[in-house]
């Protein structure tokens, strides 16, 4: 009898030693699914990009580049560069016919030793085929020689010679050399629109003493 009791104890102890412990049951969320571990916080070294939002919480679009600033109107020194040598105003073709000369004034020149020989000009607007000039206004006259310029836009001395010619007289201009070439540009107003007319390579004549 004692032998049977001892065998039963040995068998029960062996079965207890061979059995494995059960794994712990994972926690369960309120929805009945296993809870997932919380994500780790971003490290300090990771770059974070901030996105600006508007009042509705939507990301703002990058600002569009500003429109290009319009270019300014051509300077007086550019008037003659793109102007034509003749204009058709209505049915009339208008050109320039200019003359340049020097006049000596009884004053001391820039070097302090000689009188000043100042430039004078007669700039004439004329028509072809003996047609009368249309109604127009002369706004300014520009004379160019190299990098130098003589711009006249106030108190213009304008004279009409009949219906075919309109003359602008200029006096006491720069001391340019006789025999040198000058470009002349005239800015006109015709029917509310500004137009330009040019004459190239007008030669400065010799000194005049009688006018």
């Amino acid at each position: 009898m004692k032998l049977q009791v001892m065998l039963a104890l040995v068998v029960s102890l062996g079965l207890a030693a061979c059995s494995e412990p059960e794994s712990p049951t994972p926690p369960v969320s309120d929805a009945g699914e296993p809870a997932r571990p919380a994500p780790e916080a971003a490290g300090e070294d990771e770059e974070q990009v901030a996105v600006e939002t508007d009042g509705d919480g939507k990301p703002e679009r990058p600002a569009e580049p500003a429109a290009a600033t319009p270019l300014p109107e051509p300077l007086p020194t550019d008037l003659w560069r793109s102007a034509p040598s003749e204009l058709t105003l209505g049915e009339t073709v208008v050109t320039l016919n200019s003359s340049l000369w020097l006049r000596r004034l009884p004053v001391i020149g820039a070097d302090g030793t000689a009188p000043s020989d100042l430039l004078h000009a007669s700039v004439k607007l004329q028509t072809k085929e003996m047609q009368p000039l249309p109604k127009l206004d002369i706004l300014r006259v520009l004379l160019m020689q190299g990098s130098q310029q003589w711009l006249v836009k106030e108190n213009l001395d304008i004279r009409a010679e009949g219906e075919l010619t309109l003359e602008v007289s200029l006096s006491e201009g720069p001391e340019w050399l006789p025999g040198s070439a000058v470009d002349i540009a005239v800015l006109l107003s015709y029917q509310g629109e500004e137009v330009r007319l040019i004459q190239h390579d007008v030669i400065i004549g010799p000194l005049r003493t009688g006018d």
Side-chain angles (χ1 to χ4, degrees), residues 36-204:
R36 297 180 180 178
E40 296 182 358
E44 296 181 358
D45 296 337
E46 294 182 0
E47 183 180 0
Q48 297 181 0
V49 180
V51 178
E52 296 183 359
T53 60
D54 55 17
D56 298 332
K58 299 179 180 180
E60 293 185 349
R61 296 182 178 179
E64 297 181 356
T69 304
L71 295 177
E73 291 294 323
L75 298 175
T77 54
D78 296 329
L79 289 177
W80 62 274
R81 296 180 181 176
S82 59
S85 59
E86 63 179 35
L87 283 173
T88 301
L89 304 179
E91 298 179 355
T92 305
V93 179
V94 181
T95 62
L96 289 181
N97 182 15
S98 307
S99 59
L100 305 175
W101 68 94
L102 299 176
R103 183 179 179 186
R104 180 164 296 175
L105 298 182
V107 295
I108 302 301
D111 57 359
T113 60
S116 297
D117 294 339
L118 302 183
L119 183 65
H120 287 58
S122 171
V123 180
K124 294 183 178 182
L125 281 76
Q126 297 180 331
T127 63
K128 291 185 175 181
E129 300 178 359
M130 302 298 292
Q131 292 179 335
L133 276 171
K135 185 178 180 180
L136 50 82
D137 295 318
I138 300 176
L139 303 179
R140 68 187 71 174
V141 181
L142 174 66
L143 286 79
M144 295 282 297
Q145 186 180 77
S147 60
Q148 297 181 324
Q149 66 170 340
W150 180 23
L151 175 63
V152 184
K153 59 182 179 179
E154 296 179 355
N155 301 322
L156 293 173
D157 185 7
I158 303 174
R159 306 168 186 174
E161 296 182 1
E163 296 181 347
L164 305 180
T165 302
L166 198 60
E167 178 188 18
V168 185
S169 296
L170 308 176
S171 60
E172 299 183 12
E175 296 184 70
W176 291 343
L177 296 177
S180 58
V182 177
D183 292 334
I184 301 176
V186 179
L187 180 64
L188 308 170
S189 175
Y190 174 69
Q191 295 183 351
E193 181 181 0
E194 292 187 359
V195 293
R196 302 165 185 173
L197 190 60
I198 191 170
Q199 184 179 2
H200 286 289
D201 298 329
V202 181
I203 301 301
I204 300 176

Side-chain angles (χ1 to χ4, degrees), residues 9-21:
L9 289 174
V10 171
V11 171
S12 61
L13 289 176
L15 293 175
C18 293
S19 62
E20 296 180 356

